[in-house]
Amino acid sequence: MYPLLDTINSPSQLRSLDCKLLPQLAEELRNFLVNSVSETGGHLSSNLGTVELTIALHYIFDTPNDRVVWDVGHQTYAHKILTGRREGMSKLRMHGGIAGFPRRDESEYDAFGTAHSSTSISAALGMAVAAQLEGVDRRAIAVIGDGAMSAGMAFEALNNAGVMDANLLVVLNDNDMSISPPVGALNNYLAKLMSGRFYASARRAGEKVLRVVPPVLELAKRAEEHMKGMVTPGTLFEEFGFNYIGPIDGHDLEVLTTTLNNIRQLKGPQFLHVVTRKGAGYNVAEEDPILYHGVGKFDPDEGIVPKPVNKPTYTKIFGDWLCDMAAMDSRLIGVTPAMREGSGLVKFSKEYPKRYFDVGIAEQHAVTFAAGAACDGLKPVVAIYSTFLQRGYDQLIHDVAIQNLPVVFALDRAGLVGADGPTHAGSFDYSFLRCIPNMTVMAPADENECRQMLYTAFQMDTPTAVRYPRGAGTGAEVQKEMVALPMGRGEVRRKGEKVALLAFGSMVTPCLGAAETLDATVVNMRFIKPIDDALIASLAEDYDLLVTVEENTTIGGAGSAVLESLAMGGGVTKVLQLGLPDIFIDQGDHAQMLADCGLDKDGIVKFVQEHLPK
């Protein structure tokens, strides 16, 4: 038995294989995935679960002419490997390497860029309509999974697609058994039967015959729905106007290819329900798919060995504070849109299960749910990544801020996030938060200040946001006692000559390092809104040059707030802004990304020296 994977550099080569060889290819592909990701880190369990499905899709459909849209994007490693990027996996998620998610500029096989969830059905429907209007025979397939079906956008798209009669296939990769019970041979047989042209044409012919006797037609339809309902959970999707097929075993290549081949002959909106296992084929990942969801480098023979923690992460600081605050105030509830582990709510969910609410991948709902709870006396804390709050922006304005409700937003992953790239970077929150009336926005310089800011935010009766970066902080000692910070007041961390560095959040530490070389004053601004107008005016009088430094886009960000403050006060001091440039910054090592933007110690020194008054 000769190796197959090394001979496959495109789906056309895959389609030339005898179907009997596909299981061997799946085994080789799965082994390659484990070994490759163990050397680079990345998403593992979700990708192991889609090996057979990926093979079957590219085997049956004429990609890239047929469009396959993946949702969410972290289940596409097998897709990348089979579409000519096998060698590129050695630099997965690294600077200059291939992305961890689909990107249109990376490959013609990446039909749509995805990294946030629940966009696939909308995008694929748009592609199906484009094919229809152009009069071309081209299929559009949306592969949705990993909880993405819990978002409202997916159902908005289903509702629209069901009445458009476009040739759209939605494949639900059900990898946590949340919809259906385990499947067996009967369901597989029925799925193949119901996906066949005979079944579809017989149903249409029967409808024509029975249409002259409406009561009999209605009885026949109800009988069909009843029979389907006995063996499948598809009634909901049928009501949307889809022909529902499944559930089928997503690891059985014979069933997958036969069913997909039958569906390819059908017209109109089709819905295929596929059941897979996260981590399939790699025992430790199957046993703990959450641990192996996003991994660093590891030994594939030993699995992941926990490393000792030297410094607590900001995420852990938040999680500990949330439990401590909950013990002090029974009104506190914790809300997360499907990010319990990532946002640090595991401990809280165990200690306060009745006050913990994971609403699924539904950021809009999370924000409005919190608003409703706040209306009736609770104090919600929404734990959410900065990039995901973008998805609930209207709700933040319309449901929280306009009503001036006491909701605390704990914004994790603020600033650049390294290997996850531009889709997950929190590059814009200073800008989009500070323009909202009633909002208070804070950014801690270290772990202890993060805890105190969270406490400060919770004491307020208005909307607040505390934004902090990914990973560990400076190693500052964290005080158990919590003290509210003076509202809208910054603090001078170091006194120097001629230049004042106005640092926000994560930039305080590199500014302190740069100040030793520059002999500059360093101010920990703490608040983005309200900005410390009095302190800014005082600095403008005392220094020839003010430099604002932020890990946020400079357009409309914290530096802009300083400029606006000076303009309102009539200040004429020279002010320079240093922050993220007006581009989407690609993936890479976080420290190197900051250096490339001039936001490390050396970069700050160079920037100031180039602009010092002569």
Side-chain angles (χ1 to χ4, degrees):
M1 191 163 60
Y2 62 92
L4 293 174
L5 184 59
D6 289 349
T7 69
I8 305 299
N9 292 303
S10 70
S12 60
Q13 293 173 316
L14 166 64
R15 290 190 281 269
S16 69
L17 293 178
D18 188 304
C19 62
K20 294 178 182 178
L21 294 174
L22 297 184
Q24 177 191 335
L25 178 64
E27 183 179 358
E28 291 181 22
L29 183 52
R30 184 165 278 113
N31 290 334
F32 181 89
L33 270 172
V34 172
N35 289 312
S36 177
V37 175
S38 73
E39 294 177 359
T40 62
H43 293 97
L44 184 59
S45 57
S46 55
N47 283 292
L48 291 172
T50 57
V51 167
E52 288 82 5
L53 177 58
T54 304
I55 291 172
L57 286 168
H58 283 297
Y59 192 73
I60 296 300
F61 290 97
D62 182 25
T63 54
N65 179 58
D66 289 332
R67 315 296 202 229
V68 179
V69 179
W70 293 90
D71 185 354
V72 289
H74 60 230
Q75 56 180 339
T76 56
Y77 291 4
H79 160 78
K80 287 175 179 277
I81 292 165
L82 294 174
T83 54
R85 287 168 279 181
R86 184 175 66 253
E87 298 299 325
M89 289 294 289
S90 64
K91 292 195 68 178
L92 176 72
R93 303 167 78 239
M94 299 177 191
H95 180 69
I98 63 175
F101 307 102
R103 288 181 58 164
R104 294 183 70 236
D105 60 0
E106 187 178 288
S107 170
E108 62 178 337
Y109 292 95
D110 290 359
F112 195 76
T114 54
H116 293 187
S117 80
S118 314
T119 59
S120 61
I121 304 176
S122 298
L125 177 59
M127 295 172 183
V129 168
Q132 195 175 51
L133 292 176
E134 293 167 7
V136 297
D137 183 18
R138 186 173 66 225
R139 292 286 168 161
I141 304 101
V143 185
I144 186 167
D146 257 23
M149 192 61 85
S150 66
M153 186 175 176
F155 286 91
E156 292 171 19
L158 287 172
N159 183 57
N160 190 208
V163 297
M164 296 186 72
D165 201 34
N167 292 328
L168 170 70
L169 168 60
V170 175
V171 179
L172 171 60
N173 174 27
D174 180 3
N175 57 12
D176 57 7
M177 312 300 285
S178 60
I179 296 178
S180 66
V183 297
L186 176 62
N187 276 328
N188 287 338
Y189 170 74
L190 289 171
K192 284 194 283 186
L193 176 66
M194 288 191 289
S195 68
R197 279 179 291 178
F198 171 78
Y199 174 85
S201 59
R203 182 170 63 179
R204 287 194 297 271
E207 287 180 359
K208 289 179 181 178
V209 172
L210 294 172
R211 203 171 299 280
V212 296
V213 192
V216 179
L217 173 61
E218 183 62 25
L219 177 64
K221 283 185 174 180
R222 290 185 178 183
E224 180 194 33
E225 289 175 2
H226 179 67
M227 289 304 294
K228 277 191 172 184
M230 289 175 62
V231 293
T232 74
T235 305
L236 171 65
F237 304 109
E238 293 274 6
E239 291 295 327
F240 275 117
F242 283 76
N243 176 41
Y244 174 88
I245 300 152
I248 66 172
D249 183 352
H251 300 296
D252 188 322
L253 275 161
E254 192 274 330
V255 169
L256 279 170
T257 53
T258 302
T259 304
L260 286 170
N261 190 52
N262 287 337
I263 291 173
R264 191 167 60 90
Q265 316 304 319
L266 303 179
K267 301 295 184 181
Q270 309 294 322
F271 192 101
L272 175 61
H273 184 169
V274 174
V275 177
T276 63
R277 297 185 310 280
K278 270 191 166 185
Y282 185 44
N283 289 338
V284 289
E286 283 195 55
E287 292 169 3
D288 195 343
I290 294 176
L291 177 64
Y292 283 84
H293 172 71
V295 301
K297 297 179 182 180
F298 67 97
D299 185 327
D301 295 325
E302 294 184 13
I304 295 175
V305 179
K307 297 179 180 178
V309 177
N310 297 322
K311 296 184 292 187
T313 63
Y314 279 100
T315 302
K316 185 178 188 305
I317 295 296
F318 164 74
D320 290 343
W321 168 82
L322 192 66
C323 292
D324 293 343
M325 197 71 242
M328 296 168 60
D329 195 325
S330 61
R331 298 174 299 165
L332 183 150
I333 63 170
V335 182
T336 181
M339 296 300 298
R340 184 184 70 159
E341 288 76 22
S343 292
L345 275 76
V346 173
K347 181 180 176 183
F348 179 81
S349 69
K350 294 175 180 177
E351 293 187 7
Y352 298 95
K354 292 184 178 180
R355 293 157 66 182
Y356 164 73
F357 300 94
D358 182 345
V359 302
I361 302 178
E363 294 87 356
Q364 293 171 292
H365 166 59
V367 176
T368 304
F369 169 77
C375 282
D376 277 358
L378 296 180
K379 295 287 294 263
V381 178
V382 179
I384 188 168
Y385 288 7
S386 170
T387 186
F388 294 148
L389 183 58
Q390 295 165 186
R391 311 189 84 190
Y393 191 58
D394 180 60
Q395 289 68 32
L396 174 62
I397 295 173
H398 183 270
D399 301 333
V400 176
I402 289 177
Q403 302 185 94
N404 205 20
L405 294 171
V407 178
V408 176
F409 293 92
L411 300 190
D412 204 331
R413 282 17 178 218
L416 300 176
V417 292
D420 283 337
T423 57
H424 283 59
S427 304
F428 311 107
D429 52 63
Y430 285 169
S431 303
F432 71 67
L433 288 173
R434 76 176 193 87
C435 63
I436 303 173
N438 295 329
M439 282 295 302
T440 297
V441 187
M442 300 177 246
D446 56 42
E447 302 93 321
N448 183 58
E449 196 165 74
C450 184
R451 180 177 172 88
Q452 309 309 326
M453 282 185 176
L454 289 163
Y455 177 76
T456 303
F458 192 78
Q459 304 311 306
M460 299 177 66
D461 290 321
T462 54
T464 58
V466 179
R467 65 101 80 171
Y468 44 90
R470 182 179 189 172
T474 63
E477 182 181 352
V478 179
Q479 301 169 355
K480 185 73 173 176
E481 180 185 3
M482 292 182 278
V483 180
L485 300 175
M487 182 55 53
R489 298 292 298 276
E491 62 162 0
V492 176
R493 285 285 189 96
R494 183 189 189 279
K495 291 287 287 184
E497 300 290 334
K498 293 185 179 181
V499 179
L501 304 177
L502 283 64
F504 293 84
S506 58
M507 291 292 98
V508 172
T509 296
C511 280
L512 286 169
E516 293 300 317
T517 301
L518 297 168
D519 189 21
T521 288
V522 177
V523 182
N524 172 20
M525 292 299 293
R526 286 180 169 167
F527 289 83
I528 293 83
K529 186 179 183 181
I531 199 79
D532 193 338
D533 294 310
L535 179 55
I536 293 170
S538 173
L539 293 168
E541 289 183 2
D542 295 340
Y543 295 92
D544 299 330
L545 176 65
L546 305 186
V547 181
T548 64
V549 189
E550 59 188 303
E551 195 175 348
N552 185 88
T553 179
T554 56
I555 297 177
S560 295
V562 172
L563 287 167
E564 291 162 16
S565 175
L566 285 167
M568 290 295 291
V572 293
T573 300
K574 185 175 181 181
V575 180
L576 298 173
Q577 294 173 266
L578 180 57
L580 301 180
D582 185 27
I583 59 172
F584 290 109
I585 299 170
D586 215 345
Q587 67 202 28
D589 174 75
H590 180 247
Q592 185 59 52
M593 293 167 78
L594 288 177
D596 291 343
C597 294
L599 292 175
D600 63 346
K601 182 188 76 171
D602 294 338
I604 295 168
V605 169
K606 181 180 178 183
F607 181 81
V608 172
Q609 288 177 337
E610 288 176 350
H611 293 89
L612 273 173
K614 302 301 183 185

